[in-house]
């Protein structure tokens, strides 16, 4: 704590060549990057692990908890603000802070985050991008938004020409467990049992494996996770009803070491992901997010983005400590460059 206070005090003066003693070792000449964070206790536990904090300290990055009971401008000064908290009030506090402190990098802007918290808009940029090149094609499943009146759903579904089965997802992603409670609907009449507001999305067979594409600034990391199994035509014709399904693609369902059909397991081509990530970073205005991507079963290069998450569970991303600290440093450095 002393170290933080000392650095924060020094930040008022010229801090381009601060002398800090790290881990009790010899003083090193480093440019210290102060990262204020406002995260839930769950996120602090999964993200701010001792290994990350230790590595960060060695690279001259300090994480400082933001005290939500005090004005943000009275704290710091910060170089970077890292946040994931829900609520309009907090979003407004950050917006005001961003206006007053353009020199601080707020990761990420609240309005850009809000955009991916609504499944009606979340995938729009992927659809607009309509990415197709020699490495493959990336689209989004067809979907329909139902705001109210569940009795209107069967008609709305047939008018829109959506094919069964359908995945029903709560419209808003607000950090609650409820916003991840989805259902799989085998027949359109049972959809009346669902509670709007929701999104109905065509289920795409993908061999039971999905790819989590983590993005941290310019860096990309892909892992495999188990997902819902395919639904055959036979199964579809034999079953009716809507079935709730729990979170299938959590970390416990890592499929990286499983013995999988190579056609299903093969990661999406790197150049395709790089193009997709670059475009989405720009269009979404986000630097910290992940994409859930599936490959249509039976194809080699037909991909669908089904979900985008802001500041996901990076603690489960291999080598996240190095990737994240390098990213924070690069932000700090580009700021110094701008100043010179
Ligand atoms: O809890 P975790 O570590 O599984 O992380 C969740 C993410 O899991 P993932 O990293 O994709 O495996 C999770 O991703 P999915 O939606 O499950 O694909 C969300 O990002 C979730 O945040 P929120 O509830 O949508 O605000 C994330 O929850 P928070 O940690 O941000 O609360
Ligand atoms: N259109 C779809 N086709 C096939 N499977 C899907 C589709 N949408 C979602 N899923 C499955 O449901 C899971 C949860 O859906 P997702 O959109 O990722 O919501 P969440 O934000 O709760 O993670 C996915 O990880 C995947 O296993
Ligand atoms: Mg998901
Ligand atoms: Mg999600």
């Amino acid at each position: 704590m002393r170290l933080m206070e000392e650095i924060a005090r020094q930040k008022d003066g010229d801090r381009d060549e601060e002398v800090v003693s790290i881990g009790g070792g010899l003083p090193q000449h480093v440019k210290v990057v102060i990262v204020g964070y406002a995260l839930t206790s769950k996120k602090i536990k999964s993200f701010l692990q001792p290994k990350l904090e230790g590595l960060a300290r060695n690279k001259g990055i300090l994480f400082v908890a933001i005290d939500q009971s005090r004005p943000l401008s009275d704290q710091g000064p910060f170089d970077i603000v890292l946040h994931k908290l829900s609520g309009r009030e907090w979003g407004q506090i950050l917006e005001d802070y961003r206006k007053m402190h353009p020199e601080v990098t707020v990761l990420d802007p609240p309005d850009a985050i809000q955009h991916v918290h609504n499944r009606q808009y979340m995938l729009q940029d992927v659809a607009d991008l309509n990415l197709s090149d020699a490495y493959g094609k990336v689209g989004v499943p067809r979907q329909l938004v139902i705001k109210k009146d569940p009795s209107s759903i069967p008609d709305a579904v047939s008018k829109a020409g959506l094919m069964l089965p359908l995945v029903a997802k709560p419209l808003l992603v607000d950090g609650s467990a409820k916003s991840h409670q989805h259902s799989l609907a085998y027949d359109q009449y049972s959809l009346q049992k669902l509670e709007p507001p929701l999104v109905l999305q065509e289920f795409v067979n993908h061999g039971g494996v999905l790819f989590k594409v983590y993005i941290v600034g310019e860096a990309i990391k892909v892992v495999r996770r188990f997902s819902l199994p395919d639904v055959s035509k036979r199964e579809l014709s034999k079953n009716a009803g809507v079935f709730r399904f729990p979170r299938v693609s959590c970390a416990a369902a890592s499929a990286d070491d499983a013995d999988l059909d190579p056609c299903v397991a093969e990661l999406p081509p790197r150049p395709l992901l790089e193009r997709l990530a670059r475009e989405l970073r720009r269009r979404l205005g986000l630097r910290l997010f992940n994409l859930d991507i599936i490959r249509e079963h039976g194809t080699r290069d037909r991909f669908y983005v089904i979900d985008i998450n802001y500041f996901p569970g990076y603690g489960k991303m291999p080598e996240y400590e190095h990737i994240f600290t390098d990213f924070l440093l690069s932000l700090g450095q580009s700021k110094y460059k701008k100043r010179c």
Side-chain angles (χ1 to χ4, degrees), residues 119 122 141 167 169 173 179-182 201-206 210 212 226-228 245-249 292 294 306-309:
R119 296 188 201 269
M122 174 196 274
V167 187
K169 311 183 185 187
V173 180
S179 63
H180 299 289
Q181 265 171 21
H182 309 311
Q201 201 174 80
E202 283 186 344
F203 180 86
V204 178
N205 280 342
H206 53 283
L210 77 79
K212 284 237 167 227
F226 281 117
S227 178
L228 292 179
F245 62 90
R247 296 186 81 166
V248 273
S249 61
D292 288 352
I294 55 178
I306 53 169
D307 187 23
I308 300 180
N309 304 294

Side-chain angles (χ1 to χ4, degrees), residues 98-132:
R98 256 160 53 86
K99 279 193 201 110
M100 268 176 73
H101 296 275
E103 76 286 4
V104 181
T105 305
V106 175
L107 292 171
D108 276 308
D111 54 350
I113 297 169
Q114 215 45 46
H115 183 75
V116 295
H117 277 174
N118 187 319
R119 296 188 201 269
Q120 179 174 7
Y121 310 119
M122 174 196 274
L123 305 177
Q124 192 55 51
D125 290 288
V126 182
D128 294 346
L129 180 58
N130 200 12
L131 180 51
S132 177

